[in-house]
Amino acid sequence: MTQFSCKQWALLIGCLSLSMFACKPKNTGSAVGADAAAKAYVAPGQYDQFYNFVSGGFSGQMSVYGLPSGRLLRVIPVFSVDPEKGWGYSEETKAMLNTSHGMVPWDDLHHTELSQTNGEIDGRWVFGNANNTPRVARIDLTTFRTAEIIELPNSAGNHSSPFITENTEYVVAGTRFSVPPDDANGDVAIDTYKDNFKGTISFISVDKNDGKMDIAFQLQCPGVNFDLSHAGKGKSNGWFFFSCYNTEKASTLLEVNASQRDKDFIMAVNWKKAEEYIKAGKGRKQSVKYASNRYDEKTHSATSQIKTEVLVLDVKDFKDICYFIPCPKSPHGCDVDPTGEYIVGSGKLAALVPVFSFDKIQKAIAAKDFIGEFDGLPVIKYESALHGELQKPGLGPLHTEFDGKGNAYTSFFVSSEVVKWNIKDLKVLDRAATYYSIGHLTIPGGDSKKPDPKYLIAYNKITKDRYLPTGPELSQSAQLFDISGDKMQLILDFPTIGEPHYAQAVRADLIKDKSLKIFKIDDNQHPYVAKGEGATKVVREGGKVHVYMTTIRSHLAPDNIEGIQQGDEVYFHITNLEQDWDVPHGFAIKGANNAELLIMPGETQTLKWVADRVGIYPFYCTDFCSALHQEMSGYLRVSPKGSKVPLQFSIGKTAPVSK
Ligand code: RUQ
Ligand code: CUA
């Protein structure tokens, strides 16, 4: 997000004196207590208590940390290609990054959301959003791999996403940029925003058993910017709440023009009602184009399908789906407490934090306590929806998580701090400085019905002077706080991958024992699998050559290949025959224009390689797998086009040529 200077914010917020809220916290050196190291210490050989799933922002990936140690356990490739793992480079994974625009090798992942059952994290999947080319990904927490990516039509800037309902019935995604609908003429003047631009919210269904996603329906809403959202829970289950900014509907110089109104909105959506209308056949079929990409664990391959239709409800035609609640000023975070009663809106330019009451919202709707309409939809009177305001909490409130004990923790970007406050009586209880400019924060389960409030992690945008200098760019950082007592205590800093926005954490017990160790070779249904060295072969099909290769400590079979001709497209289909945990093999060949392969035990992956010149090409295993890893290599001979050298392959001795 944009970095304002203290001065700019002081100007924007005018009324607050800066001396009260210094932008850079003092006592940087002394902020850590003497027992901090012991609290974050996880002895060598011991497991962490929590998994932390952290969005990678502009890296497009998701990273997994252990808590409280802050150890980086894994980077899961999601929306960006990853040459380390062959993601987006192997023939099998390319389809995962397909979109209606073709293959998109990068995106911007802002939010992670763990699946829930009855409002509690269930440890099955974690979802992530692609902000730029709107998509939602589902990562399987047995393999820690991206299992599915679905594209969202009628959207642009999928920021208010992916947030889920309390039984993961839907993953919900609100568009950041309103745009003309995909089936409308989009060739319109930008200054016709007010007439032609619409904001779309997608409800993506998630299959209970296998997690498969489909767009169940979309809501066509007024053309504002949806920033963030959260589902209702408990009593407010069936509702969804979205923060909206740019209710001015500006299309230029938003930093000024979208900050005009004293209040923007939280949009309350009765999604159960919308679901009823859809079931009653009220949806309009709209023709669109979007990709639905799935990875099949049995064939070890992804398929991409372009779908051409969605069901859309125009909320204007159904007066009981959407309601606007005024919320000061350019709200960012929109967070619902564990009871489902309180909805916290964080206006990033506001000097207070409003807390809305679900019961009061319901009463106001029943009593038609409206102050007017916005784009034909009712606007509830602010005071009627309000539980109360947290006064003078800090500067630049962004996000709130909960401890399940009646307290909320809100991040303040400008004053660089976390503020703990009591939801009922709206009293500030504690504040802790962050270094610096905190964005999101996380408490394990902190957006669910059942938080696990041992730690809080702050994700900071600026790291200046915290780490050894590494040139102009410094890594973003996370800071771990112990929140088990009344006061928050900073216990650890750790650097992060990309720019973390939201993250979630969960007790390790929920996931660690389900984690897959190998793929069973007997279950491998890859069309080019070789289930043993006896099944290896090299087959020519015109200008294409298929190499069925296997790996096992410490050789590749075959390891001598001749009869390849200049210009041939060679497909190395490599099956890792190992059936032991943590024994991947890698594959690389000189001159490859893509990346390595990293093949897990029992898996088959394919690297395409074009023989561009005559000569000898060594190939080798890239993952140090055994004492004889350096011996795990081979040679491929490329002859001129039309050469009489027969196609042959061997290991140890020359094997018969395959037909
Ligand atoms: S955002 S730093 Cu992209 Cu969730 Cu608030
Ligand atoms: Cu296999 Cu190194």
Side-chain angles (χ1 to χ4, degrees):
M1 70 181 297
T2 323
Q3 168 70 56
F4 288 96
S5 70
C6 297
K7 226 184 181 170
Q8 282 171 305
W9 279 89
L11 289 172
L12 282 166
I13 301 171
C15 58
L16 283 165
S17 105
L18 251 192
S19 57
M20 283 173 60
F21 303 101
C23 280
K24 182 172 163 172
K26 293 187 183 103
N27 307 322
T28 308
S30 60
V32 179
D35 58 342
K39 289 191 168 179
Y41 185 69
V42 177
Q46 298 295 304
Y47 284 154
D48 276 290
Q49 288 165 37
F50 292 89
Y51 283 103
N52 187 196
F53 296 92
V54 184
S55 68
F58 44 63
S59 88
Q61 319 294 40
M62 197 183 288
S63 49
V64 186
Y65 291 84
L67 297 177
S69 73
R71 296 187 291 207
L72 175 64
L73 305 176
R74 181 141 204 88
V75 177
I76 304 171
V78 186
F79 296 115
S80 296
V81 294
D82 181 354
E84 178 197 330
K85 299 175 181 78
W87 182 253
Y89 293 102
S90 71
E91 294 306 297
E92 288 79 0
T93 56
K94 280 179 179 169
M96 290 301 283
L97 301 178
N98 191 39
T99 72
S100 62
H101 304 275
M103 204 263 200
V104 174
W106 169 89
D107 221 298
D108 184 14
L109 195 164
H110 281 219
H111 306 119
T112 63
E113 179 89 346
L114 287 152
S115 57
Q116 297 182 4
T117 302
N118 297 323
E120 294 178 28
I121 293 172
D122 60 20
R124 301 181 74 190
W125 306 298
V126 58
F127 300 90
N129 66 320
N131 206 23
N132 184 45
T133 303
R135 285 168 288 170
V136 167
R138 176 174 56 85
I139 287 108
D140 185 317
L141 292 179
T142 62
T143 58
F144 283 66
R145 284 181 166 186
T146 304
E148 186 171 10
I149 293 180
I150 193 164
E151 189 183 359
L152 303 173
N154 294 319
S155 305
N158 172 38
H159 191 265
S160 183
S161 162
F163 295 96
I164 58 166
T165 54
E166 68 174 32
N167 283 297
T168 320
E169 296 96 337
Y170 296 109
V171 177
V172 178
T175 191
R176 169 179 167 198
F177 299 108
S178 285
V179 284
D182 288 3
D183 65 341
N185 174 19
D187 181 19
V188 294
I190 296 168
D191 67 8
T192 64
Y193 184 114
K194 286 196 169 81
D195 302 320
N196 291 321
F197 291 35
K198 301 285 175 209
T200 296
I201 291 170
S202 305
F203 283 75
I204 303 162
S205 60
V206 179
D207 187 280
K208 266 198 173 52
N209 299 312
D210 59 16
K212 284 192 179 131
M213 301 188 289
D214 266 313
I215 302 178
F217 59 91
Q218 293 189 315
L219 300 179
Q220 185 176 306
C221 300
V224 297
N225 291 34
F226 295 113
D227 209 11
L228 282 152
S229 55
H230 263 102
K233 45 177 90 88
K235 61 158 81 168
S236 56
N237 180 31
W239 288 75
F240 227 97
F241 304 93
F242 296 85
S243 53
C244 315
Y245 68 108
N246 193 21
T247 54
E248 295 85 353
K249 299 192 173 181
S251 57
T252 179
L253 200 63
L254 263 63
E255 74 174 312
V256 175
N257 293 332
S259 308
Q260 296 299 308
R261 292 168 62 123
D262 182 46
K263 290 195 175 68
D264 292 278
F265 296 122
I266 300 282
M267 186 173 84
V269 176
N270 186 341
W271 62 261
K272 283 255 157 99
K273 257 275 159 337
E275 208 180 34
E276 278 171 28
Y277 287 128
I278 287 291
K279 278 187 189 138
K282 300 274 162 111
R284 172 176 73 89
K285 282 186 186 160
Q286 189 198 329
S287 76
V288 289
K289 246 175 108 177
Y290 65 96
S292 161
N293 310 330
R294 288 173 182 161
Y295 199 83
D296 182 334
E297 219 101 271
K298 290 264 187 297
T299 60
H300 298 287
S301 305
T303 47
S304 176
Q305 194 191 349
I306 297 290
K307 298 195 168 172
T308 55
E309 201 175 82
V310 282
L311 276 178
V312 180
L313 283 180
D314 186 338
V315 297
K316 267 209 306 285
D317 303 339
F318 306 90
K319 296 283 178 189
D320 49 0
I321 298 178
C322 286
Y323 303 88
F324 286 103
I325 305 161
C327 182
K329 189 166 188 185
S330 300
H332 187 60
C334 180
D335 300 288
V336 181
D337 89 310
T339 67
E341 164 64 4
Y342 299 110
I343 300 116
V344 180
S346 292
K348 46 190 192 284
L349 303 181
L352 53 84
V353 175
V355 182
F356 301 99
S357 148
F358 180 71
D359 288 344
K360 285 189 166 180
I361 293 168
Q362 294 309 303
K363 257 188 226 144
I365 290 171
K368 295 211 162 41
D369 195 357
F370 304 140
I371 53 164
E373 290 194 338
F374 178 78
D375 256 30
L377 297 167
V379 179
I380 298 172
K381 193 169 160 208
Y382 176 68
E383 290 75 16
S384 304
L386 191 71
H387 159 64
E389 295 172 339
L390 180 68
Q391 294 293 340
K392 294 196 176 170
L395 282 186
L398 292 184
H399 300 283
T400 300
E401 292 257 297
F402 305 92
D403 67 3
K405 299 188 268 188
N407 304 312
Y409 296 74
T410 301
S411 59
F412 289 84
F413 176 77
V414 179
S415 50
S416 276
E417 60 186 333
V418 177
V419 174
K420 174 182 178 181
W421 50 282
N422 182 279
I423 308 170
K424 269 222 177 84
D425 62 19
L426 300 159
K427 290 258 155 41
V428 170
L429 301 172
D430 188 25
R431 26 180 101 238
T434 60
Y435 306 90
Y436 306 94
S437 304
I438 179 179
H440 277 272
L441 41 65
T442 296
I443 292 171
D447 83 336
S448 74
K449 266 186 182 167
K450 214 175 154 199
D452 200 343
K454 193 163 181 189
Y455 301 110
L456 178 147
I457 312 101
Y459 299 93
N460 304 316
K461 304 297 187 188
I462 313 253
T463 327
K464 245 172 224 162
D465 79 20
R466 297 296 287 182
Y467 298 132
L468 284 173
T470 53
E473 195 188 7
L474 296 163
S475 158
Q476 266 86 357
S477 91
Q479 290 190 298
L480 184 69
F481 292 84
D482 178 346
I483 57 163
S484 55
D486 287 344
K487 298 277 168 201
M488 295 175 267
Q489 188 195 358
L490 176 61
I491 56 175
L492 183 72
D493 273 20
F494 57 95
T496 58
I497 304 287
E499 184 197 7
H501 290 252
Y502 191 34
Q504 291 207 331
V506 61
R507 222 164 248 281
D509 303 335
L510 220 55
I511 293 176
K512 73 174 182 0
D513 300 327
K514 295 190 284 193
S515 183
L516 193 80
K517 294 197 164 69
I518 58 159
F519 296 104
K520 284 199 192 111
I521 188 87
D522 293 337
D523 295 345
N524 185 325
Q525 291 168 20
H526 192 289
Y528 292 95
V529 67
K531 292 198 179 181
E533 282 179 22
T536 59
K537 57 186 174 179
V538 179
V539 180
R540 175 178 286 284
E541 281 170 9
K544 290 186 179 160
V545 178
H546 293 279
V547 179
Y548 297 65
M549 190 181 274
T550 59
T551 62
I552 197 157
R553 282 161 288 180
S554 297
H555 55 273
L556 298 139
D559 66 0
N560 278 205
I561 299 170
E562 300 194 10
I564 304 297
Q565 298 185 5
Q566 192 174 9
D568 280 348
E569 265 177 22
V570 183
Y571 292 86
F572 294 96
H573 308 287
I574 311 213
T575 302
N576 181 350
L577 297 176
E578 306 278 356
Q579 291 287 274
D580 246 354
W581 193 22
D582 200 21
V583 194
H585 292 287
F587 179 81
I589 179 163
K590 183 184 170 187
N593 294 128
N594 33 30
E596 68 160 346
L597 296 176
L598 208 55
I599 314 119
M600 298 305 127
E603 185 182 38
T604 305
Q605 290 285 286
T606 302
L607 192 77
K608 178 182 168 184
W609 178 83
V610 179
D612 68 325
R613 289 181 226 169
V614 169
I616 298 292
Y617 290 82
F619 52 85
Y620 69 99
C621 168
T622 54
D623 188 327
F624 206 111
C625 50
S626 68
L628 295 172
H629 156 79
Q630 283 298 82
E631 283 67 22
M632 198 165 173
S633 60
Y635 298 96
L636 177 140
R637 172 181 168 192
V638 177
S639 305
K641 190 140 198 75
S643 147
K644 291 276 163 326
V645 177
L647 191 65
Q648 56 187 326
F649 63 95
S650 63
I651 177 161
K653 59 175 167 39
T654 306
V657 176
S658 143
K659 301 271 153 40

